[in-house]
Amino acid sequence: MKQTIKRIAAVARMTMSDIIRQKSFIVLFIIAVLFLLLVRGCWGMKMNVNGQVMSGGKFALQILQTVFFVISSMVMFIAGLLAMRLFRRDRDEGMQAFVLSKPVTRLSYITCKVGGLVLIMTAFMFLLHGAILIIHFLHAGEVTAGYLAASSMSVLNVLFAVLAVSLLSLLIPEIFAFLAAFGVTALAFIFDGIAAATRSSAVQSILSQSGAQAAGLDSLTWWKVVYWIWPKAGTLGANAASLIDPTAVIAVNDMLIPLVSMAVYCIALAVLVVIKFDREEIV
Amino acid sequence: MNGAKIEYTQVTKRFGAVTAVDNVSFTVAPGECIALLGPNGAGKTTLVRLLLDFTRASAGTVAVDGTPSSDIRARMGVGYLPENVRMPGHLTGLQYLMRCADLLGMTKQDAAVRCREAVALTGMTGKENIAVKTYSKGMSQRIALAAALIGDTRLLILDEPTSGLDPIGIREIRVILENLKLKGMTILLNSHLLSEVEKVCDAALIIDRGTVIVKDTIASIVKDGETLEDVFVRLVAPGRVS
């Protein structure tokens, strides 16, 4: 048992060290740092709403939430990019055959590969989120307690991106796997955005002017089914970002539904990745 | 050292409509050095891949010391040198070996000792701290062989170990194999270099179109006045080569 754990840890270490030394990871890391340096200036901005200057604290919190959401989405995107060649790179460098010729199960190998990447991206995301919170603290003097919970929730989106791209990369060429997974995620963000907009008071008041349309919202339509089935990556990200606002009130259902949706998708994808990889020919 | 026992029992492997290995059964005794011989596409590499569980049999079983190849315990003490050696170019030879030791669950101190031993055994001393991307084909083969020998290797699987090597390199590999044979290690050698096979191996298994044509000791297969190459041509391509 001890030996097995040691071997699994060895594969995970190997995966992480290989990811960190990748040029694409370093470039993306530099871009992320530049992004942080650029958004720093946002805290000094003033904003007029209906001729009135928005209060500094509230405005700073809005910026914090937006940047937090952007970082989570960016990390999700980067994780998908890195997942694209997660298995291919190992195959090309002979590491897959090398590892699997040792007493390492395919399940351990795949868990370490996916887990290693998710762990690296989680640390990367926590670092970026942490940096943003420090910037916020320096400008607004506020400590946001919900940071850890918000960041942890976003990990589910990262896991989803890694698993979706990994699975598809076992079925189709890597670039198409990334584009397909990215397409699904982009649609999730769009659907969730539209759904959030339709729930806003402005849209509700417009719709309430037409009785037929308002009734239409309550009826079951195909697009509603698609919306409910589709992964709730956008809502999860937005909910996570809203957690850092101590005054925000989020209904338990609104918080649970995207969490359950993404958890179910992650479990299903993980099972499919394991099944598919178990049937793979090792070269 | 006790070598491992290999058993193929009525093994069939199909890739779609193509049958790569057809109802093959044979046993390799502990400490035996056996060559897998056959023309291209005969099913030799498939037999090796089945042993490592890189591919799964359509029917039958492959076992190492009675443990099915699908069980990771079957890969305890197995060293594998692939035909096309590929390694992450940024690693040095020693780092590559340390990764191997890490995968075997060795402690750092133990790993360092074993890696130095394997480096010395394969004649790579002094070159182990150079990045593998600068290695020649022969050096890569040797460091990969060193990786296969780390740990308590009881079964060594070699897929074309002398491919691309110069005559001196071939000879050096042969000397290493002869030494390992003396230690009682079971060696499965997949090679086209029949003259080398004749010098190193105790037995040979000739396979063609997925079926075993002959499996016997080299001494029994090769008659007086013949070479292994003559026997191979006679059995695999009768009438094709004069």
Side-chain angles (χ1 to χ4, degrees), chain A:
Chain A
M1 186 66 187
K2 200 178 162 191
Q3 288 289 312
T4 310
I5 293 167
K6 269 188 173 179
R7 280 185 209 115
I8 290 172
V11 183
R13 271 200 302 276
M14 209 182 287
T15 305
M16 288 193 277
S17 71
D18 284 348
I19 291 166
I20 289 169
R21 56 156 290 281
Q22 269 182 59
K23 278 187 196 118
S24 49
F25 179 78
I26 297 163
V27 168
L28 293 166
F29 188 80
I30 293 167
I31 291 170
V33 172
L34 285 174
F35 172 73
L36 284 184
L37 291 172
L38 284 172
V39 298
R40 230 173 15 142
C42 292
W43 271 265
M45 284 185 350
K46 297 232 180 306
M47 195 177 191
N48 281 307
V49 178
N50 294 333
Q52 287 189 324
V53 178
M54 232 175 132
S55 75
K58 190 75 188 162
F59 182 54
L61 201 62
Q62 283 292 327
I63 295 171
L64 176 66
Q65 283 182 335
T66 310
V67 175
F68 191 95
F69 181 72
V70 170
I71 287 173
S72 307
S73 310
M74 196 167 71
V75 172
M76 192 179 172
F77 179 80
I78 298 170
L81 271 178
L82 291 170
M84 204 166 65
R85 282 180 51 81
L86 193 62
F87 301 124
R88 179 63 180 270
R89 201 178 308 111
D90 257 15
R91 227 176 290 156
D92 292 348
E93 291 182 339
M95 290 310 289
Q96 202 171 75
F98 176 73
V99 172
L100 293 171
S101 69
K102 308 288 171 223
V104 175
T105 61
R106 291 189 185 201
L107 178 65
S108 304
Y109 171 76
I110 207 155
T111 308
C112 291
K113 293 303 290 179
V114 171
L117 177 56
V118 172
L119 213 63
I120 287 276
M121 296 319 293
T122 302
F124 181 48
M125 186 167 69
F126 271 58
L127 198 75
L128 293 177
H129 280 161
I132 278 295
L133 288 163
I134 291 168
I135 294 170
H136 178 75
F137 173 71
L138 292 174
H139 284 85
E142 287 172 359
V143 179
T144 42
Y147 150 65
L148 272 178
S151 270
S152 306
M153 256 176 89
S154 308
V155 174
L156 213 52
N157 271 353
V158 174
L159 180 63
F160 171 79
V162 172
L163 285 169
V165 177
S166 299
L167 174 66
L168 291 171
S169 72
L170 291 172
L171 299 163
I172 52 176
E174 294 97 55
I175 185 68
F176 296 115
F178 172 73
L179 290 174
F182 179 71
V184 169
T185 314
L187 279 176
F189 276 74
I190 293 167
F191 287 168
D192 291 345
I194 293 169
T198 56
R199 282 195 293 268
S200 71
S201 52
V203 175
Q204 286 291 337
S205 67
I206 294 166
L207 290 174
S208 64
Q209 289 168 13
S210 160
Q213 277 177 319
L217 273 177
D218 297 328
S219 60
L220 187 72
T221 52
W222 68 267
W223 57 265
K224 272 189 185 174
V225 175
V226 172
Y227 167 70
W228 282 110
I229 292 172
W230 212 262
K232 298 273 170 289
T235 312
L236 186 82
N239 282 355
S242 64
L243 275 180
I244 52 179
D245 178 2
T247 59
V249 180
I250 308 163
V252 177
N253 266 2
D254 289 346
M255 193 58 85
L256 269 182
I257 290 169
L259 263 177
V260 171
S261 160
M262 293 308 286
V264 168
Y265 266 101
C266 286
I267 292 166
L269 286 170
V271 169
L272 290 173
V273 169
V274 169
I275 292 171
K276 178 70 188 113
F277 190 75
D278 196 54
R279 292 174 184 178
E280 281 283 292
E281 297 281 325
I282 307 300
V283 286

Side-chain angles (χ1 to χ4, degrees), chain B:
Chain B
M1 180 200 292
N2 289 324
K5 184 185 178 189
I6 310 169
E7 288 164 286
Y8 285 78
T9 314
Q10 295 177 318
V11 177
T12 298
K13 175 65 189 176
R14 290 184 205 93
F15 294 100
V18 179
T19 304
V21 173
D22 193 8
N23 200 28
V24 166
S25 297
F26 68 93
T27 305
V28 181
E32 193 174 12
C33 179
I34 188 168
L36 282 180
L37 307 175
N40 291 329
K44 305 183 301 288
T45 300
T46 305
L47 284 177
V48 169
R49 289 161 51 75
L50 283 163
L51 185 59
L52 290 160
D53 196 40
F54 285 0
T55 189
R56 307 262 161 83
S58 309
T61 55
V62 183
V64 179
D65 283 334
T67 309
S69 61
S70 55
D71 189 325
I72 58 161
R73 283 173 299 177
R75 294 197 290 282
M76 301 267 191
V78 172
Y80 170 56
L81 175 68
E83 183 179 359
N84 299 310
V85 173
R86 291 165 296 170
M87 289 177 267
H90 67 282
L91 296 177
T92 66
L94 189 62
Q95 285 170 335
Y96 182 71
L97 296 181
M98 288 298 277
R99 273 194 173 192
C100 180
D102 207 12
L103 280 171
L104 292 168
M106 288 183 193
T107 61
K108 277 207 169 157
Q109 291 83 353
D110 197 17
V113 173
R114 298 292 188 101
C115 289
R116 298 278 171 206
E117 279 173 8
V119 163
L121 187 70
T122 50
M124 284 296 284
T125 307
K127 294 159 199 153
E128 72 272 34
N129 290 315
I130 304 169
V132 293
K133 65 181 166 207
T134 63
Y135 280 3
S136 65
K137 169 93 178 163
M139 286 160 83
S140 299
Q141 290 283 102
R142 283 162 193 241
I143 214 75
L145 179 60
L149 295 172
I150 290 174
D152 302 314
T153 308
R154 297 167 58 233
L155 168 61
L156 186 61
I157 303 164
L158 307 163
D159 204 351
E160 297 289 355
T162 50
S163 143
L165 293 186
D166 58 26
I168 298 164
I170 293 172
R171 194 184 181 133
E172 283 170 351
I173 294 279
R174 191 208 313 153
V175 172
I176 294 168
L177 294 183
E178 279 167 350
N179 287 333
L180 295 172
K181 223 173 83 176
L182 289 174
K183 288 181 180 174
M185 195 180 283
T186 305
I187 302 172
L188 190 71
L189 177 65
N190 182 5
S191 178
H192 282 297
L193 223 59
L194 302 178
S195 56
E196 284 305 309
V197 165
E198 209 171 344
K199 285 172 191 161
V200 178
C201 296
D202 310 316
L205 180 135
I206 302 177
I207 182 169
D208 189 22
R209 278 169 265 180
T211 52
V212 175
I213 301 176
V214 66
K215 194 242 165 198
D216 212 334
T217 59
I218 299 276
S220 307
I221 297 172
V222 182
K223 305 280 183 264
D224 285 342
E226 266 189 332
T227 61
L228 185 60
E229 189 180 309
D230 295 332
V231 177
F232 181 79
V233 171
R234 176 161 48 81
L235 292 170
V236 173
R240 260 176 57 194
V241 183
S242 55

